[in-house]
Amino acid sequence: MSLPLLTFVVIIYLSIVGWLTVKAYKGTVSTADYMVAGRQIHPFVMAMSYGATFISTSAIVGFGGAAAVFGMSLLWLTVLTIFVGVFIAFVFFGRRTRVMGLNLNAHTFPEFIGLRFQSRTLQGLAGLLIFVAMPLYASVVLMGGAKFIAQILSVNYNAALFFLTVIVAVYVVMGGLKGVMYTDAFQGSVMFAGMIILLFFTYWKMGGVVEAHQKLTDMADIAVSIFGAQGHTGWTSFPTLGSPFWVTVVTTMVMGVGIGVLAQPQLIVRFMTVKSNRELNRAVLIGGVFVLVAVGVAFIVGALSNVYFYYMNEETAGKISLIAANKNVEEIIPLYISKAMPQWFTAIFTITMLSAAMSTLSSQFHAMGTSLGRDIYEKWLGKSGNSVLITKAGIIFTIMLSYFFAWGLPLFFDGGTAIIARGTAIFFGICAAAFLPLYFGAIYSRRITKFSAFTGFTAGTIISFFWLFFVHDKVSGPMMICKAVFGVNSLAEGTIWAAVDPLVIGLPVSALITLATAFAGKQLPKEHVEKCFHGIGK
């Protein structure tokens, strides 16, 4: 790789990020500017920021690497994210959230929930869940970015992790949500261009679209010989129904992320940054095309990397991607880029990956910081002070926490367990189980009570964590809590339930409890409900 070229490209990239940060810093004068970008964001910026926040290094490095193992069955996640994550989210959730958020003058998602149900406790608990669970998600995004940088530049992982964290921290703390969204839009554009180029060169190198996919299909016997016991049927077909691979792909990868996206606090707050529903409508197409390219390309290239490593690279001839990358799922995509792509593209893809990591991390840090500073410290605990300064302190603290997790996770999780992809899916699943039923009830039901929202939230949260710590063996095993208490890695050890994602249990239970208690407890004042739904159709 040409170091001068990479240096030049990175300097230009960071200069643009720096300029956007300064622009946002100068335009941030109020709490609303810092937390909801002044509610005047352009639809292109909103859509690209939403997509760039959603698509991180987890999607490209983590899920791309996972596609090299599970195959193109993961493309169903692309379908679900476009339909649910963009169309359903923008049209059926976004419009109501924007109007209701404005009616209530909400600045964060927990504050939106707290004001809707007139409960500072609920706001504080929602903020606490984000503060506790999101560092795991942020840390795996940090890991993905740092691993890629370390692989491409041949530098120490810890050094890459440190500098990536510091760069993102500077512009998040300075620019608030305006800085985050301005840089997101730029970084999303870089990601879009980089993924298009990656797809073109991959197909060109493998002889075209049809030939590339036919070669991968012809490798089905190899896949079955290696992963057949787990239910693998080939990289271009779906795993056997009910097999461990099928359960992982469907419940953890496809459903965990595809449904969980609806309840992501850092994404929901973006609905409150535009000035009208017209802007949201305009953002649907932009967001859909972006997600199609950013997610779909990673899954296609990840699966096709098996063709390259097995047939086209002398150093790895006869090895599938997982073996070529020494059984480290997260290193498959970086290895493919460094071996298969031209040197100049390595520089382009480096800033593509930097963009993916930085855009998601900045939003995560902002969401965690506002949860700690505004939702917990100011609103729940009733402390006073400068909101922006308190939020900045919260952001800095959560950045340090995420950095610590990103440093420690590789020491406890084997690379072959695809912790980046799993960590992402786990957080999405927790959010879906805890937030989705009450969030849906908040914007669609005038009769849902505070008691109902609280019980649904509590049930979804408790069940999710119980399943993670005591049943889901990919997490309960490394956590060792179940082992210490019951002497086994999972209470469902030896059964298919040990592979089932917490979302599959937590979300239905949370939804049923929310529904069953919908009319229990004291009804909210009629005037308050009318204020919430002012400007929203029945």
Side-chain angles (χ1 to χ4, degrees):
M1 183 181 59
S2 171
L3 191 58
L5 174 62
L6 176 62
T7 303
F8 174 76
V9 171
V10 170
I11 288 175
I12 295 295
Y13 171 80
L14 292 179
S15 298
I16 295 174
V17 170
W19 175 73
L20 291 170
T21 302
V22 172
K23 177 181 172 62
Y25 177 74
K26 290 181 177 178
T28 299
V29 295
S30 67
T31 302
D33 288 334
Y34 198 82
M35 296 189 181
V36 287
R39 303 186 194 276
Q40 296 290 323
I41 287 293
H42 189 278
F44 175 79
V45 175
M46 185 272 176
M48 295 301 285
S49 175
Y50 183 95
T53 299
F54 180 32
I55 309 303
S56 65
T57 45
S58 299
I60 299 174
V61 171
F63 281 81
V69 177
F70 296 108
M72 292 192 178
S73 55
L74 286 188
L75 282 173
W76 282 104
L77 175 55
T78 307
V79 175
L80 206 61
T81 50
I82 293 173
F83 180 68
V84 177
V86 177
F87 179 73
I88 297 292
F90 280 49
V91 175
F92 294 99
F93 284 77
R95 294 174 181 174
R96 287 172 176 260
T97 303
R98 189 198 69 78
V99 176
M100 193 174 289
L102 184 61
N103 291 342
L104 296 171
N105 194 29
H107 295 84
T108 67
F109 175 65
E111 188 170 58
F112 176 87
I113 295 298
L115 291 172
R116 169 65 181 86
F117 293 106
Q118 294 188 318
S119 171
R120 289 192 174 189
T121 300
L122 192 56
Q123 178 179 351
L125 290 174
L128 181 62
L129 178 60
I130 295 169
F131 173 69
V132 169
M134 192 176 276
L136 170 66
Y137 179 28
S139 65
V140 297
V141 175
L142 267 175
M143 283 174 57
K147 278 178 176 283
F148 180 83
I149 294 171
Q151 173 81 23
I152 293 297
L153 300 181
S154 299
V155 298
N156 180 270
Y157 166 75
N158 290 327
L161 178 65
F162 176 77
F163 284 106
L164 177 61
T165 305
V166 169
I167 291 172
V168 179
V170 168
Y171 76 79
V172 174
V173 173
M174 282 185 62
L177 193 57
K178 272 191 178 179
V180 169
M181 295 187 74
Y182 287 169
T183 53
D184 280 355
F186 165 64
Q187 290 161 342
S189 302
V190 172
M191 291 164 61
F192 186 86
M195 297 308 285
I196 289 288
I197 296 172
L198 173 62
L199 183 66
F200 173 80
F201 269 95
T202 296
Y203 281 137
W204 175 76
K205 199 173 191 67
M206 296 184 183
V209 176
V210 175
E211 188 164 346
H213 286 257
Q214 187 58 55
K215 286 178 180 174
L216 187 63
T217 301
D218 293 341
M219 295 178 68
D221 290 343
I222 300 169
V224 173
S225 67
I226 298 173
F227 303 117
Q230 300 294 311
H232 211 310
T233 60
W235 282 288
T236 56
S237 56
F238 218 78
T240 303
L241 180 66
S243 65
F245 265 32
W246 184 92
V247 172
T248 299
V249 169
V250 174
T251 69
T252 298
M253 304 294 181
V254 177
M255 291 179 62
V257 177
I259 296 176
V261 65
L262 286 175
Q264 292 298 296
Q266 75 277 19
L267 297 180
I268 292 171
V269 74
R270 274 153 178 74
F271 298 141
M272 297 189 281
T273 63
V274 294
K275 64 180 179 182
S276 75
N277 285 345
R278 184 167 173 265
E279 272 69 30
L280 277 178
N281 295 338
R282 293 167 64 189
V284 171
L285 179 61
I286 301 170
V289 172
F290 176 82
V291 171
L292 172 65
V293 171
V295 178
V297 170
F299 296 165
I300 292 171
V301 171
L304 288 175
S305 67
N306 286 289
V307 175
Y308 174 78
F309 288 121
Y310 199 87
Y311 293 115
M312 303 175 67
N313 185 281
E314 292 182 359
E315 297 177 18
T316 59
K319 296 179 179 177
I320 64 170
S321 300
L322 185 63
I323 304 302
N326 296 319
K327 298 184 179 180
N328 194 324
V329 175
E330 280 78 41
E331 291 190 3
I332 292 175
I333 293 297
L335 183 64
Y336 174 77
I337 298 299
S338 65
K339 296 292 184 183
M341 294 291 109
Q343 287 195 2
W344 63 265
F345 181 74
T346 304
I348 300 297
F349 200 74
T350 297
I351 61 168
T352 301
M353 292 306 303
L354 277 176
S355 297
M358 292 168 69
S359 58
T360 303
L361 284 168
S362 60
S363 299
Q364 292 170 327
F365 292 158
H366 186 270
M368 290 187 292
T370 54
S371 293
L372 180 61
R374 184 169 182 89
D375 299 315
I376 297 176
Y377 184 79
E378 274 193 89
K379 298 298 181 180
W380 192 19
L381 301 180
K383 303 294 184 182
S384 60
N386 185 306
S387 290
V388 174
L389 287 179
I390 292 171
T391 301
K392 286 183 177 180
I395 291 173
I396 293 171
F397 180 79
T398 53
I399 288 173
M400 294 172 62
L401 192 62
S402 303
Y403 173 82
F404 175 76
F405 282 147
W407 170 80
L409 277 175
L411 304 178
F412 296 97
F413 284 82
D414 177 15
T417 60
I419 183 57
I420 291 178
R422 288 188 185 279
T424 301
I426 286 170
F427 178 73
F428 275 50
I430 291 173
C431 286
F435 294 136
L436 191 52
L438 77 89
Y439 176 38
F440 181 85
I443 59 176
Y444 274 98
S445 173
R446 294 170 184 261
R447 295 183 59 84
I448 186 171
T449 63
K450 183 192 308 182
F451 177 77
S452 174
F454 184 81
T455 53
F457 168 81
T458 304
T461 303
I462 291 175
I463 291 172
S464 293
F465 279 104
F466 174 80
W467 203 266
L468 283 171
F469 292 157
F470 295 100
V471 182
H472 195 51
D473 61 357
K474 295 298 184 184
V475 178
S476 63
M479 292 292 289
M480 295 187 288
I481 297 175
C482 188
K483 183 79 171 179
V485 177
F486 298 105
V488 293
N489 286 329
S490 165
L491 295 178
E493 200 167 70
T495 73
I496 197 67
W497 292 103
V500 172
D501 193 85
L503 169 82
V504 176
I505 309 298
L507 180 57
V509 172
S510 173
L512 286 173
I513 290 178
T514 303
L515 191 62
T517 60
F519 305 118
K522 185 179 178 182
Q523 288 288 323
L524 292 166
K526 185 177 179 181
E527 297 77 17
H528 172 71
V529 175
E530 291 302 320
K531 177 185 177 183
C532 293
F533 282 87
H534 177 71
I536 299 176
K538 293 182 179 178

